[in-house]
Amino acid sequence: MNISFSADLPDTGFILIPVLKDHLDSKILKDVDARTDGAVMRAARVAEFTGKPGEALTVPAPQGLADAIIVLLGLGDASDLTAKDAHGLGGKAAAQVIGKTTTAALLIDGLEIGGLKGEALAVAAGTGALLRNYDFDLYRKKTAKKDKKVLSSFAIIGSGLEKASEKMDAEKAVVEGVFFARDLVTEPPNVLHPESYAERCRELEKLGVKVTILDEADMAKLGMNTLLGVGQGSTKGSRLAVMEWKGGGDEAPLAFIGKGVTFDTGGISLKPGDGMWDMKFDMGGSAAVVGAMMALAGRKAKANVVGLVGLVENMPDGDAQRPADVVTSMSGQTVEVLNTDAEGRLVLADVLTYAQKFHKPRAMVDLATLTGAIIISLAHEYGGLFTKDDAFAESLLSSAKTAGEELWRMPLGKAHDEMIKSDIADMKNIGGREGGSSSAAAFLARFVEDDIPWAHLDIAGTAWATKDADVWPKGATGYGVRLLDQFVRDGYEG
């Protein structure tokens, strides 16, 4: 979709006007109302439109703009709005017209949302509109396509937006990364399995990313047995994809690490059949990493970043890992596997070790759809943030807020580490139902060297949505891509 910026009010098509609660005297609304000889305000009075959040009023073909359709969008109280709502504005506007038209215009002149106004608001709204305009329709062949149109052009109208197009280019690269992540998560597991996923990662080479793929033989030589153990019941070979973007000179890289379980049956600890189809998105953490690497390369980020994703399929089979097996990780630590459905942490353990041994990162962030417990704690509103480093936590929380992909810090302490003590090995892979997300994070912490800033993001509740939201249609959200990109912008670009 093309995003354009202009100071001129169009006189045809859909014209979307955001309205703060009880602010029907805004300059935007007054200007349009004057063009329509008062028709817009008359309609607002008749409909008792006040600008409450989620409220919308359509005024078709008013006098003076007879070839236009005016849509008033209620935003709610200005004091309640954040930077997330600035992105949401563009998404809300796009959602109003998707399926009705292929072009639309959004008026923002004089508007401020979450401290953003002018060019900053215009770019945020444009980004939100792009994000909401996603559609995955690859597998509808003989049946009718979805009964909707996607937008082809979206104009943002306001004064002082001359440089907005220039700034929008970087955001478009980030959106491409989000869309790539969404595509990966949405693909069916018979199409996207570890072997084919690894080849999809190679698509980043055209952007200047160095991509290295390790197969099972390569990983076996390195002793990556916790990762390999998860995939040993599958006919699809496990893979490790390493993506390097070097835009920052000789400095040590920042490492992003993702769980890529392309389908999770639970293995021998088999999940219930009802709802198991959702487990194609158990690779959402890896998709966020791959999408972020695409975004960083696409906008030519001035930073060194390495993305590493462990790709496995967790299947029950005569060769599958058993509950009570003990495996030796790449770090040399041993793990008693009591539940084969707690597999993501086993994958990440070896990838964390690999990242530290071969890339000597200045800091690490891992992302994973790791536990159902995080959904019980945070629902689908936040990703869970686990780290022992307060400063690192604050920097991630700040970037997440700016990006509109928010995190909530969760506890990670000595008590959670005690939960994973094993009677016969260095640790066990589950700590019980209580504090399950924290004990999972404590497991990962055992594979991180003490002097490296590290954080674990549990995104089980945010990688997939069962209903539409401001900046995504229901389905894969691509959560994590914008967060990671913002984190690089805030602290790692020269």
Side-chain angles (χ1 to χ4, degrees), residues 173-246:
V174 177
V175 172
E176 286 299 314
V178 174
F179 282 8
F180 193 58
R182 289 178 183 176
D183 286 350
L184 290 170
V185 174
T186 309
E187 286 281 10
N190 60 317
V191 173
L192 194 82
H193 48 77
E195 297 165 3
S196 61
Y197 192 168
E199 293 309 308
R200 292 287 292 271
C201 292
R202 290 194 186 278
E203 294 181 28
L204 274 63
E205 291 177 333
K206 63 188 176 186
L207 295 174
V209 177
K210 179 184 177 182
V211 179
T212 304
I213 307 297
L214 278 67
D215 62 18
E216 290 186 333
D218 298 324
M219 290 186 282
K221 289 177 183 176
L222 294 170
M224 300 181 75
N225 299 310
T226 57
L227 185 155
L228 291 172
V230 175
Q232 71 189 40
S234 173
T235 59
K236 304 298 184 184
S238 299
R239 296 289 185 268
L240 172 64
V242 182
M243 298 152 284
E244 299 174 75
W245 170 252
K246 295 184 178 180

Side-chain angles (χ1 to χ4, degrees), residues 35-194:
R35 286 280 299 271
T36 64
D37 196 23
V40 171
M41 288 303 299
R42 286 194 297 272
R45 285 194 296 271
V46 170
E48 297 182 345
F49 177 89
T50 62
K52 293 183 293 186
E55 195 176 13
L57 173 65
T58 300
V59 186
Q63 182 179 340
L65 288 172
D67 293 324
I69 299 174
I70 309 297
V71 181
L72 306 186
L73 298 175
L75 300 182
D77 291 318
S79 60
D80 293 336
L81 301 178
T82 67
K84 182 176 181 179
D85 296 298
H87 291 97
L89 169 61
K92 288 178 192 291
Q96 283 290 325
V97 295
I98 289 172
K100 301 173 184 175
T101 184
T102 57
T103 63
L106 173 67
L107 277 58
I108 66 163
D109 206 23
L111 186 65
E112 181 174 344
I113 296 179
L116 301 181
K117 57 185 178 180
E119 284 182 356
L121 177 58
V123 172
T127 302
L130 283 171
L131 289 166
R132 185 60 176 81
N133 198 44
Y134 174 79
D135 187 38
F136 187 92
D137 215 7
L138 186 61
Y139 295 106
R140 289 181 179 268
K141 301 296 185 181
K142 294 185 178 180
T143 57
K145 293 282 186 179
K146 291 177 182 175
D147 186 21
K148 73 174 186 179
K149 303 171 185 175
V150 292
L151 291 166
S152 59
S153 63
F154 192 83
I156 297 178
I157 312 301
S159 57
L161 305 184
E162 292 80 11
K163 295 182 180 179
S165 291
E166 191 178 314
K167 295 178 180 178
M168 194 71 219
D169 288 340
E171 304 312 314
K172 287 178 180 176
V174 177
V175 172
E176 286 299 314
V178 174
F179 282 8
F180 193 58
R182 289 178 183 176
D183 286 350
L184 290 170
V185 174
T186 309
E187 286 281 10
N190 60 317
V191 173
L192 194 82
H193 48 77

Side-chain angles (χ1 to χ4, degrees), residues 3 27 49 55 64 120 144 152 159 161-162 185 193 325 334 342 352 391 423 433-434 442 483-484 491:
I3 301 290
K27 182 180 183 300
F49 177 89
E55 195 176 13
S152 59
S159 57
L161 305 184
E162 292 80 11
V185 174
H193 48 77
D325 281 1
T334 57
L352 286 165
D423 293 334
R433 293 187 64 189
E434 297 175 353
L483 189 165
L484 295 179

